[in-house]
Amino acid sequence: MKHFFTVGPSQLNANIEKYFKKAMLQNVGSISHRSQAFRDIYKNTDLQLRKLMNIPNTHSIFFMPSASEIWERMITNCVQKKSAHFMNGAFSKKFHEYSQSLGKQTQTFILEDHLGFNDLHKYKIDDDVELICVTLNETSSGAYIQENELVKLKKQHPIKLICADIVSCAPYPKLNFKYLDCAFFSVQKAFGLPAGLGVWIVNDACLEKSKTIKNKSAHHSLENFVKNYATFETPSTPNVLDIFLLGEVATEMNNTGIDAIRKTIEERAKILYDLPLKNKNLEINIANKKNQSQTVVVFNTKIAAQEIIKKLALKNIIIGSGYGAFKTTQIRIGNFPAVSEKAFKSLVKELWNV
Amino acid sequence: MKHFFTVGPSQLNANIEKYFKKAMLQNVGSISHRSQAFRDIYKNTDLQLRKLMNIPNTHSIFFMPSASEIWERMITNCVQKKSAHFMNGAFSKKFHEYSQSLGKQTQTFILEDHLGFNDLHKYKIDDDVELICVTLNETSSGAYIQENELVKLKKQHPIKLICADIVSCAPYPKLNFKYLDCAFFSVQKAFGLPAGLGVWIVNDACLEKSKTIKNKSAHHSLENFVKNYATFETPSTPNVLDIFLLGEVATEMNNTGIDAIRKTIEERAKILYDLPLKNKNLEINIANKKNQSQTVVVFNTKIAAQEIIKKLALKNIIIGSGYGAFKTTQIRIGNFPAVSEKAFKSLVKELWNV
């Protein structure tokens, strides 16, 4: 049996087959997305996510096929002219590219890939920027932006919309949605589910903005989402199975308790970040402790990354390579809740010796 | 155990749990979409679909989250100015609305919802139309357009792009892709799979057209799809599980043989369309035989549709209501391959007596 420590898709929740069977018994694959049975599924997943991530009623929860589609829909729905982007890795750069491709003007703040942003509120953002895009957890580098940075940023720019890409860290971050207009993630990371679902959390300010923008998608416009959300429906047939499974996993996480989940993630992250003390072939990519991701841990490797990856694969431990240009010089480890204590210990033991 | 005769989502393939288990054994939910394991899955599904639907190498097969997203992407990728639409029901109208919402001009040909189009090549299509949109099987009404209509249409308009929405009939239609630039469907209809995957079949003419169009999506542009398709990859993380399951179901269908599948569909459709001879409460919605869908059979009901639907539900037989304004006056029956012979006989028996 293989154990996945990849940064997503990653290890599936241990009860996934049980939840799939439950889904089949409830005909989740056959029911209409206009039926009460579907509305009950949506409602439950919505409720469990609110509890887990402390999402207030000021925000709606919409289901999309992926987080990368949400990059695009945030721009098409909420930007007429200009977006601003904090960029320090491949995925924050992709978000920026999406905006450019859609013909928008952009303002960019760029750090090298081994650095993390701090004091975001001190950056001078142009007056005509409508949306500020923050990648809280840069999956390519393991750089994290502390949650309170979002609060300071919003206080500095109360009129602008702020969105946080929390793709590879949700539900770990303690977000204060009073100071955040939008957050989004996908389920194949820390929720341990098969890919095919993105979760889009948005407030009324985003909706109001979207009403002012013309010639945008009929398919996934915020207005369509809001209209359907009134009865816990979706604009078109969604990935009902994944919505159901997300409800089950979020319920399980609520039963464990988000604080306990955070504690485990942090304890394991500490063990991972301590590895270079024992193994001189590993060096932490993000030097500044404040910016070290707890869910995506990236090491520079003194030997070829592929050697380490192959060696671990022989023990059925699957980790990721560095992203893009860092493919042969870095390893990436997804520190997600679906991993068992036993599997985590095996990982650590193997990484001592590579 | 319930039997679903809804028009999609509908009855799941009888072996779905077996295929899901196989997927879990192969770690389909955890593997990277940049891994050889994923490429092999894509390649197999691609191969099986080509065999099943006689798709030549002139066309690529791309995976999207839904057919409704494909409506939008066909417009954004292949229409700069104007699209033409044959409209005779809710879904052909929606395709048209998508184009309008995206700020395109449209030319429309409209029939009442109980009629089907014939002689499409005789309609006068404006010179500046770039894409002609044909809904082969109108899921809302059960109106079908004969496959050879697409050939005649293309011969009349060799320079224009023609796309066929085959959402609720694929893989039934015998399409000649020599005369068709694009076709698309979703898997929760006749393929008996959980929703969350659309299949987009496009030729080089569509790709060439897309290269001339600016400010379109970075997320799902045809160029991005083509670039990734060279190694059987996708632009972003797709619904890997559904792609795997589609490969399994298409393999199963190839083992049965498409001719045998078509024969069963046609034999059952005949039995359904003969029902009004035995039950005077039912009247076929589409009078012209040439335009009667074999996969979506719609009846006008002389008693309230909800009464019939409720009566059958008591026997665990789930059928659909009419769409939109026809909710209380029509029933819709999905005649898809996943339904067992026994379940089909139960349906017919019950419909004799309602």
Side-chain angles (χ1 to χ4, degrees):
Chain A
M1 190 185 153
K2 287 183 183 174
H3 298 283
F4 287 82
F5 296 87
T6 39
V7 297
S10 191
Q11 184 69 30
L12 291 183
N13 176 287
N15 295 311
I16 193 80
E17 295 201 44
K18 187 177 91 181
Y19 297 146
F20 182 78
K21 268 190 190 159
K22 188 175 169 185
M24 291 302 103
L25 282 173
Q26 294 186 23
N27 296 302
V28 165
S30 300
I31 56 169
S32 164
H33 61 293
R34 303 280 172 231
S35 67
Q36 191 55 44
F38 172 72
R39 290 181 208 117
D40 291 343
I41 290 169
Y42 193 147
K43 204 171 168 179
N44 177 57
T45 305
D46 182 277
L47 186 79
Q48 296 297 336
L49 287 176
R50 285 183 187 283
K51 189 175 169 190
L52 187 68
M53 298 174 65
N54 202 18
I55 304 167
N57 285 333
T58 47
H59 289 62
S60 304
I61 302 177
F62 302 137
F63 296 116
M64 290 276 279
S66 68
S68 37
E69 189 182 333
I70 299 172
W71 284 340
E72 177 168 308
R73 302 301 182 183
M74 262 319 282
I75 303 291
T76 48
N77 278 280
C78 295
V79 179
Q80 187 67 61
K81 188 182 163 194
K82 197 171 188 177
S83 57
H85 299 261
F86 288 90
M87 288 152 58
N88 58 337
F91 293 96
S92 42
K93 278 177 194 154
K94 274 202 180 180
F95 197 174
H96 170 246
E97 279 168 26
Y98 273 41
S99 190
Q100 283 193 313
S101 293
L102 293 161
K104 309 299 178 188
Q105 294 174 32
T106 58
Q107 183 185 15
T108 58
F109 305 106
I110 304 176
L111 286 184
E112 285 180 63
D113 286 20
H114 63 283
L115 298 173
F117 283 100
N118 292 299
D119 293 328
L120 277 68
H121 62 294
K122 292 185 180 167
Y123 288 77
K124 170 84 191 88
I125 294 179
D126 295 343
D127 286 345
D128 56 352
V129 161
E130 300 151 86
L131 174 72
I132 306 172
C133 303
V134 179
T135 303
L136 209 70
N137 197 62
E138 177 49 75
T139 316
S140 67
S141 68
Y144 193 70
I145 293 170
Q146 293 284 326
E147 295 97 310
N148 66 351
E149 292 286 340
L150 293 169
V151 175
K152 289 188 284 176
L153 188 64
K154 184 70 186 180
K155 284 181 175 170
Q156 184 70 21
H157 304 285
I159 305 303
K160 297 188 194 305
L161 296 175
I162 297 178
C163 77
D165 176 337
I166 54 169
V167 163
S168 53
C169 55
Y172 171 76
K174 280 188 191 172
L175 297 176
N176 183 344
F177 282 95
K178 196 178 159 190
Y179 298 97
L180 186 59
D181 299 289
C182 164
F184 56 88
F185 62 92
S186 51
V187 300
Q188 75 271 22
K189 312 275 179 179
F191 282 91
L193 287 169
L197 189 69
V199 177
W200 196 11
I201 305 159
V202 288
N203 70 3
D204 284 350
C206 295
L207 175 66
E208 289 308 314
K209 177 74 186 176
S210 78
K211 286 180 184 165
T212 68
I213 292 176
K214 285 197 180 145
N215 290 352
K216 59 180 185 291
S217 166
H219 179 50
H220 280 157
S221 72
L222 275 178
E223 287 106 304
N224 266 350
F225 270 107
V226 168
K227 202 174 73 183
N228 282 279
Y229 189 57
T231 50
F232 285 107
E233 293 183 30
T234 54
S236 57
T237 318
N239 186 337
V240 185
L241 178 61
D242 242 355
I243 296 172
F244 175 87
L245 295 174
L246 178 59
E248 295 297 310
V249 169
T251 303
E252 183 188 313
M253 286 181 164
N254 279 322
N255 289 340
T256 305
I258 187 65
D259 290 338
I261 291 169
R262 283 194 184 115
K263 190 162 169 274
T264 304
I265 288 173
E266 286 168 2
E267 283 168 358
R268 290 181 179 178
K270 186 175 181 331
I271 293 168
L272 291 171
Y273 282 117
D274 281 348
L275 280 168
L277 300 174
K278 305 212 182 192
N279 185 339
K280 298 299 172 195
N281 283 326
L282 302 178
E283 179 196 66
I284 296 169
N285 185 42
I286 306 296
N288 188 344
K289 275 212 172 204
K290 264 179 93 170
N291 294 111
Q292 288 172 353
S293 167
Q294 301 296 292
T295 51
V296 174
V297 177
V298 179
F299 294 111
N300 301 306
T301 61
K302 303 239 168 83
I303 52 176
Q306 293 311 314
E307 260 185 57
I308 299 175
I309 292 166
K310 273 184 195 163
K311 202 172 162 190
L312 267 64
L314 291 175
K315 304 281 173 104
N316 284 325
I317 292 170
I318 314 300
I319 62 170
S321 65
Y323 193 90
F326 303 101
K327 195 174 173 67
T328 59
T329 59
Q330 290 184 346
I331 56 171
R332 286 185 299 160
I333 297 165
N335 178 25
F336 298 144
V339 167
S340 70
E341 191 58 29
K342 197 179 157 198
F344 182 76
K345 281 182 177 161
S346 307
L347 168 79
V348 172
K349 200 180 134 199
E350 293 303 322
L351 283 174
W352 279 345
N353 303 312
V354 289
Chain B
M1 190 185 152
K2 286 182 183 174
H3 298 284
F4 286 83
F5 296 87
T6 39
V7 297
S10 190
Q11 183 70 28
L12 291 183
N13 177 287
N15 295 311
I16 194 79
E17 294 202 43
K18 188 176 91 181
Y19 297 146
F20 182 79
K21 269 191 188 159
K22 189 175 170 185
M24 291 301 103
L25 282 172
Q26 294 187 22
N27 296 302
V28 165
S30 299
I31 56 169
S32 163
H33 61 292
R34 304 280 171 230
S35 68
Q36 191 55 43
F38 173 72
R39 289 182 207 116
D40 291 343
I41 290 169
Y42 193 147
K43 204 171 168 179
N44 176 59
T45 305
D46 182 277
L47 186 80
Q48 296 298 335
L49 286 177
R50 285 182 187 284
K51 189 176 168 190
L52 186 69
M53 297 174 65
N54 203 19
I55 303 166
N57 286 332
T58 48
H59 288 62
S60 304
I61 302 177
F62 302 138
F63 296 116
M64 291 275 279
S66 68
S68 39
E69 189 182 333
I70 299 173
W71 283 340
E72 176 168 307
R73 301 303 181 182
M74 263 318 283
I75 303 292
T76 49
N77 278 280
C78 296
V79 179
Q80 187 67 60
K81 189 182 162 195
K82 195 171 188 177
S83 57
H85 299 260
F86 287 91
M87 288 152 58
N88 58 337
F91 294 97
S92 44
K93 279 177 194 155
K94 274 202 180 180
F95 197 173
H96 170 247
E97 279 168 26
Y98 272 42
S99 190
Q100 283 193 314
S101 292
L102 293 159
K104 310 298 179 187
Q105 294 173 34
T106 57
Q107 184 184 14
T108 57
F109 305 107
I110 303 175
L111 286 184
E112 286 181 61
D113 286 20
H114 63 282
L115 298 173
F117 283 100
N118 293 299
D119 294 327
L120 277 68
H121 62 293
K122 292 184 179 166
Y123 287 78
K124 171 83 192 89
I125 294 179
D126 295 345
D127 287 344
D128 57 352
V129 161
E130 301 151 86
L131 175 72
I132 306 172
C133 302
V134 180
T135 303
L136 210 70
N137 198 62
E138 178 47 76
T139 316
S140 67
S141 69
Y144 194 69
I145 293 170
Q146 293 284 325
E147 295 98 309
N148 67 350
E149 292 287 340
L150 293 168
V151 175
K152 290 188 282 175
L153 187 65
K154 184 69 186 179
K155 284 182 176 170
Q156 184 70 21
H157 304 284
I159 305 303
K160 297 189 194 305
L161 297 176
I162 297 178
C163 77
D165 175 336
I166 55 169
V167 164
S168 54
C169 54
Y172 171 78
K174 280 188 189 172
L175 297 176
N176 184 344
F177 281 96
K178 197 178 159 190
Y179 298 98
L180 185 59
D181 299 289
C182 164
F184 56 88
F185 62 92
S186 51
V187 301
Q188 75 272 22
K189 312 275 179 178
F191 282 90
L193 287 169
L197 190 69
V199 177
W200 196 13
I201 306 160
V202 288
N203 70 2
D204 284 350
C206 294
L207 175 65
E208 289 309 313
K209 177 73 187 180
S210 79
K211 287 180 183 166
T212 69
I213 291 175
K214 286 196 179 146
N215 290 351
K216 60 179 185 291
S217 167
H219 180 51
H220 280 157
S221 73
L222 275 178
E223 288 107 302
N224 268 349
F225 271 107
V226 168
K227 203 174 73 184
N228 282 280
Y229 189 57
T231 50
F232 284 107
E233 293 182 30
T234 53
S236 58
T237 317
N239 185 337
V240 185
L241 178 61
D242 241 354
I243 296 172
F244 176 87
L245 295 174
L246 178 59
E248 295 297 310
V249 169
T251 303
E252 182 188 314
M253 285 181 165
N254 280 321
N255 289 340
T256 306
I258 187 66
D259 290 338
I261 291 169
R262 283 194 185 114
K263 191 164 168 272
T264 304
I265 288 173
E266 286 168 2
E267 284 169 357
R268 289 181 179 178
K270 186 176 182 330
I271 293 168
L272 292 171
Y273 281 117
D274 280 348
L275 279 169
L277 300 174
K278 304 212 182 193
N279 185 339
K280 299 299 172 196
N281 283 327
L282 302 178
E283 178 197 65
I284 296 168
N285 185 42
I286 306 295
N288 188 343
K289 276 213 170 202
K290 265 179 94 171
N291 293 111
Q292 287 173 354
S293 167
Q294 300 296 292
T295 52
V296 174
V297 177
V298 179
F299 295 111
N300 300 306
T301 59
K302 303 238 168 85
I303 52 175
Q306 294 311 314
E307 260 185 56
I308 300 175
I309 292 165
K310 273 184 196 164
K311 200 171 163 190
L312 267 65
L314 291 175
K315 305 280 173 104
N316 283 325
I317 293 171
I318 314 299
I319 62 170
S321 65
Y323 193 89
F326 303 102
K327 195 174 174 66
T328 59
T329 59
Q330 292 185 344
I331 57 171
R332 287 186 300 160
I333 297 164
N335 178 26
F336 298 145
V339 167
S340 71
E341 191 58 29
K342 197 179 156 197
F344 181 75
K345 281 182 177 162
S346 307
L347 168 78
V348 172
K349 199 181 134 198
E350 293 303 322
L351 282 175
W352 279 346
N353 302 313
V354 288

